[in-house]
Each structure stands twice: as C-alpha cells, then as structure tokens.
Amino acid sequence: MAGETEGLRIAREIFQESAGTISRYSDLLTDRGIEWGVLGPREANRVWTRHILNSAAVAQLIPPRATVADVGSGGGLPGIPVALLRPDLRVELIEPLLRRCAFLTHAVEALELTGRVTVRRARAEEVGESYDAVLSRALAPLDRLIRWCLPLMSPEGQILAIKGASAEDEVSRNARMILASGLLVEVVRPQIEPTLPPTTVVRLRRAEAP
Ligand SMILES: C[S@@+](CC[C@H](N)C(=O)[O-])C[C@H]1O[C@@H](n2cnc3c(N)ncnc32)[C@H](O)[C@@H]1O
C-alpha cells in the first residue's frame, strides 16, 4: 500500500493545477488542525493516504455542476478535497461545532475558495435546504445518517456516505428502514489510483425520482 511520500506524489498528479492548494490544506490540517483539535495528532503521518486521497475519491460520483453538502465536515473532509478537484461544484460545509467552523472558515479563506465553498454552522437537522449530493464521512451510524441527510437531498439527488469496512453489514442491518424511506442503496468503491485502497461509499437515491 502507498505510504505518505507516494501519497503526496499521487496527490500532485491528481490535483494538477490545484496541487499547491491541496498541499497548503494538508499543512493547515497537520498544523492548526491538530492544534485546534480537528485532526488527531497521530493522523499527521497519514494525512494524504488516509484522509485527503480517501476523501477525494468520492468526487468522481458527483454529477457536473451539482450543489453539494458536506455534513459533519469537521476539518473539511471530504468537502475541501472535493471542491479542489471539481471547480464546477458549489460546496457547503455543514458543521455544528464553533471551533471546527472557525478552522473551516480560515481554511476556505486561506485556500481562496470563497465564493464556491461556504461554511454553515448548524446541525444537519436545522439546515432546511436541499442539495444534489449530500456527502459525509465518519458522521454517524447509517440509520441516524439517513434521518439527518434525507431531508437535505433534492428530489433527484443522492446521499454519498463514506464508510469503513462494515458498510455492507450496516446496509443489511438497515435494509428495512432504507426500503421504508423509499430509497435504493448500493455500496460503491471508487478508487483514485490503483496503488491506493478504494474508498467505500454507501450511495442512496430515491427509488422513484420525479
Ligand atoms: C468524526 S467527525 C468526522 C469529520 C470529518 N467528516 C472527517 O471525516 O474527518 C464527525 C463530525 O460530525 C459533526 N456532527 C455531529 N453531529 C452532527 C449533526 N447532527 N449534524 C452535522 N454534523 C454533525 C461533528 O461535530 C464532527 O465534526
């Protein structure tokens, strides 16, 4: 599996003209991000492979020019890597905690993303808007995640929840609730580069889009 040096090389190749900006974001996460508690100190030596590139893989599942919410964005994952890879998207980073929002606001300004990336301090349940793609990573167990994210999904939109190895188990355990919510579910594994492990994503869409 690729290490951090290889992760940095892959990131430069993938982010192309945004390579400098994603490097600045990595520095922000491992510096102020650790200081402000948005990233654990032990994560510094795997920020590319485990966090940034793992998050960036979800970008390929989002349709062109979509409006995107990143629910429970924390330090901006996956919303910031996705926004840097896909300048056609408008991304809202939704996060209830003040300190994390302060980090996100600083990052959006420092990375010159103002205008197409916004920060909203709120819990998902309070937002009351809809988006074409509702992203999340490490947000909550699937049943709670669906309760929070479904009201944010536009009629033809999708929920894209980055999950770990237990994704299929979670889907099976919640099959009845998913069906009752009128949703179709699949587990997809987008890969950003062959030497990196794929990202596991639970994708949910309405069974009958209008
Ligand atoms: C484990 S962190 C994950 C952060 C980031 N997505 C990542 O992958 O590093 C979960 C985040 O969800 C936020 N959160 C918890 N409940 C939430 C809710 N009801 N609505 C929106 N965000 C919530 C927390 O404040 C926290 O920042």
Side-chain angles (χ1 to χ4, degrees), residues 71-74 77 95-97 100 122-125 137-139 148:
V71 179
S73 188
L77 296 165
E95 171 56 52
L97 295 186
R100 291 179 183 193
R123 301 180 64 80
E125 311 88 294
R137 178 174 180 266
L139 174 64
W148 288 349

Side-chain angles (χ1 to χ4, degrees), residues 17-203:
E17 65 269 25
S18 299
T21 317
I22 196 75
S23 280
R24 289 212 301 282
Y25 175 56
S26 167
D27 291 345
L28 272 177
L29 273 178
T30 53
D31 178 358
R32 192 178 295 221
I34 289 178
E35 196 184 312
W36 289 20
V38 304
L39 189 77
R42 279 184 305 189
E43 301 306 309
N45 60 5
R46 48 187 186 181
V47 73
W48 285 110
T49 47
R50 191 182 161 111
H51 295 284
I52 295 175
L53 292 169
N54 169 270
S55 293
V58 77
Q60 59 195 267
L61 303 177
I62 305 172
R65 294 177 294 283
T67 55
V68 176
D70 174 13
V71 179
S73 188
L77 296 165
I80 290 181
V82 164
L84 286 173
L85 263 187
R86 294 283 306 275
D88 59 308
L89 305 175
R90 290 196 160 260
V91 179
E92 183 136 81
L93 309 174
I94 298 168
E95 171 56 52
L97 295 186
L98 179 61
R99 206 165 167 77
R100 291 179 183 193
C101 285
F103 175 85
L104 290 172
T105 303
H106 172 74
V108 166
E109 282 166 12
L111 304 177
E112 295 174 26
L113 287 169
T114 317
R116 62 191 184 86
V117 179
T118 49
V119 178
R120 182 189 284 236
R121 185 175 175 214
R123 301 180 64 80
E125 311 88 294
E126 301 161 348
V127 170
E129 275 190 43
S130 65
Y131 306 81
D132 303 319
V134 184
L135 313 185
S136 66
R137 178 174 180 266
L139 174 64
L142 193 59
D143 53 343
R144 201 183 316 151
L145 184 152
I146 292 173
R147 278 202 303 279
W148 288 349
C149 293
L150 188 53
L152 305 185
M153 187 176 96
S154 68
E156 292 186 62
Q158 55 181 333
I159 292 171
L160 295 167
I162 299 179
K163 286 280 180 183
S166 63
E168 270 96 357
D169 286 350
E170 270 202 86
V171 167
S172 307
R173 274 201 309 278
N174 293 289
R176 196 188 290 252
M177 182 251 196
I178 292 168
L179 190 69
S181 306
L183 295 169
L184 292 176
V185 64
E186 60 185 324
V187 177
V188 287
R189 291 192 164 77
Q191 199 166 12
I192 203 146
E193 217 263 355
T195 59
L196 288 175
T199 299
T200 305
V201 180
V202 176
R203 170 150 58 183

